[in-house]
């Protein structure tokens, strides 16, 4: 639904009596009553997907010492990366995005400075915001603040005292994460007025302590309540590979600024695939750690038990470096005492990774567009042939049940979190698609919510059994590639249940069960739109996932294509 149709639909759902009846009817038609409320369950509810620490004995890793500072952890990550010959900044090369290490080397060698990069960045953002491009990457950025940070970083390099490899490197932050001096809007026009931003989120503090150049707040689907990334208030964050197509939500702006080369990495929040989904559609890496691995302090409490801070990056190496900066440094004494060990993969090891068993479920794996099926199957075959790994065909049961249980959970949590604010809010300030979503969120019963948590308990045990038989689960990242943006959708938002369901099809286990997951670009469809392959790991297996993603990336590097909109931040435009 778009245009006047979605406006009327939202208005009907908000009617005091008839609207509530219609919501309950639609919830029933979508099988929530049958598969969730009326499910016969023996399990007690599990409200938070926390996992006990388990020693995985991962090969070729380095254990990070407790109490290590973020710059020390970043340096440990850099030490784990293979040495590469320095790129010559003014030479032609096949397409590849500049990495965090490229920025650091350019600064150290005086090829450029953080201040010059900041000026180049601001010019690029101005151009992407023009009437012609209308990319809508950012909700908020401050030229004054960016130039101030860049000047301070430039002085550190002039003194030969950079804080870390992240010093002066532009990093963007999703507008769901507190980051001064900006308000945290959550993609709305009103939330920052009732919930002011008073300090940086924990993850932002940790990045700042490494010297990262924080360049502003990226666009997002309003309240994270959609998968398209179309925001009627701030515009659609357009896909750099095709400006007339979606970038995916809800971390749409974070995916697009990385894809377009404005930043080597950005922070997002993944509540229902909101990091991995747009990363896949925009041809970049999306990494979501285990629930509890990264502090959620200072993130909008839209969904307490399914949302997790994640990283979008141009390369696996850059996702690894940013993850190193923000992982493990939990703030409270209780959290620190319960925090599992942090270990990093030695990507510079010459030894091949152990014999990996990759679980696939044929019926599920193939439930996607033909181009995606072909591309992901070829990538999986490459892994098996090149590294002599094996696939293990398993049945993953109750996939639709888990999707509905996740939707019930995320909707109930969002409704509870925002309820007090929304009672006083004029609905005219909310996009029509989000108004409709909020009506559904308010329509879930306590029985449906409780049964969803009982199903969470059941599926935690199901996936534990899967990981007794395989090291990782492999799937396409999305069921479709980026679809077109319509003018009506830009104005009022859209409801697209078919494409929305296809986009989140492979996302749910990572969020509902708190499992780590990563998506890597592995090819393109017939229209040149990116396709991602996803790896889902057992709890606390970030090192294994990073290593496998890195090895997958290395097999695909030669096929990567340049987006239509791309900025070379370390040299003049071609």
């Amino acid at each position: 639904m778009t245009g006047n149709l979605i406006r009327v639909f939202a208005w009907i759902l908000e009617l005091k009596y008839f609207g509530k009846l219609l919501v309950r009817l639609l919830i029933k038609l979508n099988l929530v009553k049958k598969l969730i409320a009326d499910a016969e369950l023996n399990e007690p509810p599990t409200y938070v997907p926390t996992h006990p620490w388990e020693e995985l004995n991962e090969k070729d890793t380095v254990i990070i010492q407790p109490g290590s500072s973020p710059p020390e952890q970043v340096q440990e990550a850099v030490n784990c990366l293979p040495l590469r010959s320095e790129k010559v900044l003014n030479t032609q090369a096949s397409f590849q995005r500049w990495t965090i290490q490229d920025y650091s080397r350019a600064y150290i060698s005086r090829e450029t400075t953080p201040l010059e990069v900041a000026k180049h960045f601001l010019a690029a953002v101005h151009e992407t915001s023009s009437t012609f491009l209308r990319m809508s990457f950012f909700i908020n950025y401050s030229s004054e603040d960016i130039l101030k940070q860049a000047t301070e970083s430039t002085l550190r390099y002039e003194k030969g005292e950079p804080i870390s490899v992240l010093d002066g490197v532009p990093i963007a932050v999703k507008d769901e994460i507190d980051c001064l001096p900006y308000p945290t809007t959550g993609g709305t026009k009103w939330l920052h007025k009732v919930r002011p931003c008073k300090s940086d989120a924990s993850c932002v503090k940790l990045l700042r302590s490494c010297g990262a150049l924080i360049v502003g707040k990226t666009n997002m689907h309003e309240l994270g309540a959609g998968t398209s990334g179309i925001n009627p208030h701030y515009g659609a964050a357009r896909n750099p590979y095709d400006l007339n197509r979606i970038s995916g939500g809800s971390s749409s702006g974070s995916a697009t600024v990385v894809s377009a080369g404005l930043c080597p990495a950005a922070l997002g929040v993944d509540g229902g695939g909101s990091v991995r989904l747009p990363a896949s559609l925009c041809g970049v890496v999306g990494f979501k750690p285990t629930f509890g691995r990264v502090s959620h302090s200072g993130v909008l409490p839209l969904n307490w038990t399914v949302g997790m801070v994640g990283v979008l990056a141009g390369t696996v190496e850059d996702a690894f470096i940013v993850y190193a900066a923000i992982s493990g440094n939990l703030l409270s004494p209780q959290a620190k005492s319960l925090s599992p060990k942090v270990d990093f993969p030695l990507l510079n090891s010459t030894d091949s990774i152990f014999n990996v068993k990759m679980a696939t479920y044929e019926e599920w794996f193939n439930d996607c567009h033909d181009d995606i099926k072909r591309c992901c199957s070829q990538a999986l075959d490459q892994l098996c042939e090149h590294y002599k790994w094996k696939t293990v065909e398993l049945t993953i049961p109750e996939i639709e049940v888990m999707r509905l249980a996740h939707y019930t959970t995320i909707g109930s949590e969002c409704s509870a979190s925002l309820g007090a604010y929304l009672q006083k809010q004029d609905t005219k300030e909310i996009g029509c698609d989000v108004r409709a979503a909020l009506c559904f969120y308010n329509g879930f019963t306590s029985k449906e919510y409780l049964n969803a948590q009982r199903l969470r308990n059941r599926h935690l045990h199901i996936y534990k059994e899967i990981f007794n038989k395989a090291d990782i689960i492999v799937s396409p990242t999305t069921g479709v590639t980026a679809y077109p943006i319509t003018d009506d959708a830009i104005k009022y938002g859209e409801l697209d249940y078919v494409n929305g369901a296809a986009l989140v099809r492979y996302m749910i286990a990572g969020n509902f069960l708190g499992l780590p997951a990563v998506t890597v670009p592995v090819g393109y469809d017939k229209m040149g739109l990116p396709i991602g392959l996803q790896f889902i790991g057992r709890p606390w297996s970030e090192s294994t996932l990073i290593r496998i993603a890195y090895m997958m990336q290395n097999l695909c590097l030669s096929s990567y294509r340049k987006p239509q909109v791309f900025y070379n931040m370390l040299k003049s435009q071609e």
Side-chain angles (χ1 to χ4, degrees):
M1 296 184 187
T2 58
N4 288 325
L5 183 59
I6 193 175
R7 296 175 69 191
V8 172
F9 183 63
W11 175 77
I12 291 173
L13 292 179
E14 290 168 344
L15 293 175
K16 190 171 183 180
Y17 298 110
F18 180 74
K20 290 182 178 180
L21 289 174
L22 180 58
V23 165
R24 286 307 305 170
L25 175 62
L26 291 173
I27 286 175
K28 181 178 180 180
L29 289 174
N30 279 279
L31 303 181
V32 172
K33 185 177 187 302
K34 178 182 178 181
L35 298 180
I36 307 298
D38 295 342
E40 294 184 7
L41 302 166
N42 296 319
E43 296 84 355
T46 296
Y47 296 102
V48 181
T50 53
H51 299 275
W53 168 248
E54 181 181 356
E55 187 67 61
L56 300 179
N57 296 317
E58 294 174 293
K59 184 180 179 182
D60 290 332
T61 63
V62 57
I63 303 297
I64 304 305
Q65 294 300 315
S68 295
S69 69
E72 289 171 337
Q73 293 195 176
V74 165
Q75 186 56 50
E76 286 285 1
V78 172
N79 293 343
C80 291
L81 299 176
L83 294 174
R84 298 189 306 167
S85 58
E86 291 191 18
K87 292 179 181 177
V88 181
L89 299 183
N90 61 355
T91 60
Q92 298 288 329
S94 59
F95 173 69
Q96 50 190 324
R97 293 181 173 85
W98 296 115
T99 68
I100 289 169
Q101 292 189 86
D102 291 330
Y103 279 87
S104 180
R105 282 192 287 263
Y107 296 155
I108 291 171
S109 65
R110 305 296 176 91
E111 294 282 346
T112 188
T113 66
L115 185 57
E116 286 302 312
V117 166
K119 291 176 180 177
H120 192 180
F121 170 85
L122 290 169
V125 173
H126 179 74
E127 183 173 301
T128 61
S129 303
S130 67
T131 304
F132 171 68
L133 289 176
R134 296 177 296 146
M135 300 299 285
S136 301
F137 288 160
F138 286 89
I139 287 177
N140 217 331
Y141 69 96
S142 166
S143 299
E144 181 181 356
D145 181 67
I146 292 168
L147 293 174
K148 178 176 180 291
Q149 293 180 71
T151 299
E152 293 170 351
S153 179
T154 298
L155 290 173
R156 290 194 291 271
Y157 277 100
E158 288 176 354
K159 294 177 181 177
E161 299 174 352
I163 299 172
S164 78
V165 72
L166 280 167
D167 204 334
V169 177
I171 304 289
V173 177
K174 183 182 182 182
D175 206 1
E176 191 177 338
I177 302 170
D178 286 343
C179 177
L180 294 174
Y182 309 105
T184 303
T185 73
T188 73
K189 284 290 189 179
W190 57 270
L191 186 55
H192 59 288
K193 300 174 185 176
V194 295
R195 183 202 173 272
C197 174
K198 298 179 180 178
S199 63
D200 286 335
S202 174
C203 53
V204 174
K205 289 179 182 176
L206 297 172
L207 285 173
R208 286 198 198 275
S209 73
C210 296
L213 175 58
I214 306 299
V215 293
K217 306 296 287 295
T218 54
N219 201 355
M220 59 177 286
H221 203 109
E222 186 178 6
L223 294 178
T227 56
S228 69
I230 297 172
N231 188 309
H233 312 301
Y234 301 104
R238 296 173 180 271
N239 196 313
Y241 281 88
D242 186 335
L243 275 59
N244 295 312
R245 293 179 181 270
I246 66 164
S247 57
S250 61
S251 303
S252 49
S254 291
T256 51
V257 295
V258 173
S259 179
L262 294 176
C263 303
L267 293 182
V269 180
D270 195 313
S274 294
V275 163
R276 293 160 288 151
L277 189 163
S280 177
L281 297 190
C282 294
V284 299
V285 174
F287 179 54
K288 186 202 77 64
T290 306
F291 183 87
R293 178 69 92 178
V294 175
S295 172
H296 217 251
S297 173
V299 179
L300 284 180
L302 300 179
N303 32 76
W304 300 287
T305 71
V306 296
M308 300 154 223
V309 174
V311 184
L312 301 101
T315 65
V316 173
E317 300 97 306
D318 285 353
F320 177 20
I321 290 172
V322 174
Y323 164 70
I326 65 176
S327 63
N329 286 280
L330 305 182
L331 298 180
S332 71
Q334 182 182 12
K336 288 180 180 178
S337 66
L338 298 174
S339 180
K341 289 188 292 186
V342 177
D343 59 345
F344 294 160
L346 290 169
L347 301 183
N348 53 16
S349 171
T350 56
D351 294 334
S352 178
I353 193 172
F354 54 86
N355 294 325
V356 176
K357 292 182 180 178
M358 301 181 290
T360 61
Y361 176 28
E362 184 176 5
E363 184 177 339
W364 190 44
F365 192 100
N366 295 337
D367 190 14
C368 56
H369 190 277
D370 286 344
D371 284 355
I372 297 175
K373 175 184 174 181
R374 169 190 52 77
C375 185
C376 290
S377 296
Q378 288 176 352
L380 192 57
D381 290 343
Q382 273 187 294
L383 280 177
C384 293
E385 181 179 349
H386 194 273
Y387 298 114
K388 311 304 179 186
W389 296 348
K390 297 179 180 179
T391 58
V392 180
E393 177 63 24
L394 298 174
T395 298
I396 302 177
E398 300 184 355
I399 289 173
E400 179 66 5
V401 171
M402 187 169 65
R403 185 185 71 81
L404 292 173
H406 169 269
Y407 187 68
T408 302
T409 302
I410 195 172
S412 299
E413 290 182 357
C414 184
S415 180
S417 172
L418 299 175
Y421 300 141
L422 290 168
Q423 288 178 4
K424 306 171 185 177
Q425 193 56 41
D426 184 354
T427 57
K428 292 179 181 178
E429 289 193 357
I430 304 174
C432 293
D433 60 331
V434 176
R435 286 167 57 190
L438 291 171
C439 288
F440 287 110
Y441 295 171
N442 285 324
F444 293 123
T445 65
S446 58
K447 182 179 180 182
E448 287 161 351
Y449 173 76
L450 288 169
N451 272 4
Q453 308 321 301
R454 297 171 76 187
L455 284 162
R456 177 183 261 168
N457 189 346
R458 172 188 288 182
H459 284 88
L460 284 168
H461 287 287
I462 289 173
Y463 277 72
K464 186 175 181 179
E465 287 302 310
I466 291 173
F467 287 120
N468 285 334
K469 301 172 183 176
D471 300 298
I472 55 169
I473 300 170
V474 187
S475 76
T477 307
T478 62
V480 294
T481 51
Y483 60 82
I485 300 169
T486 66
D487 290 338
D488 281 347
I490 292 175
K491 190 172 182 180
Y492 299 114
E494 69 170 9
L495 288 177
D496 188 338
Y497 185 84
V498 174
N499 277 320
L503 286 173
V504 303
R505 180 164 295 143
Y506 305 102
M507 299 287 105
I508 304 306
N511 298 106
F512 193 51
L513 307 182
L515 301 173
V518 61
T519 176
V520 183
V522 293
Y524 305 85
D525 68 6
K526 293 175 182 176
M527 294 178 289
L529 298 169
I531 293 169
L533 185 69
Q534 178 181 223
F535 302 98
I536 305 169
R538 55 167 54 91
W540 316 118
S541 65
E542 284 84 1
S543 286
T544 294
L545 279 181
I546 291 169
R547 186 190 297 275
I548 290 172
Y550 176 72
M551 297 171 89
M552 182 76 264
Q553 174 186 265
N554 286 347
L555 293 178
C556 298
L557 275 175
S558 61
S559 66
Y560 287 167
R561 303 177 189 175
K562 185 177 179 180
Q564 289 180 6
V565 175
F566 182 76
Y567 293 88
N568 274 312
M569 302 302 293
L570 294 182
K571 64 178 181 179
S572 60
Q573 285 298 105
E574 296 176 3

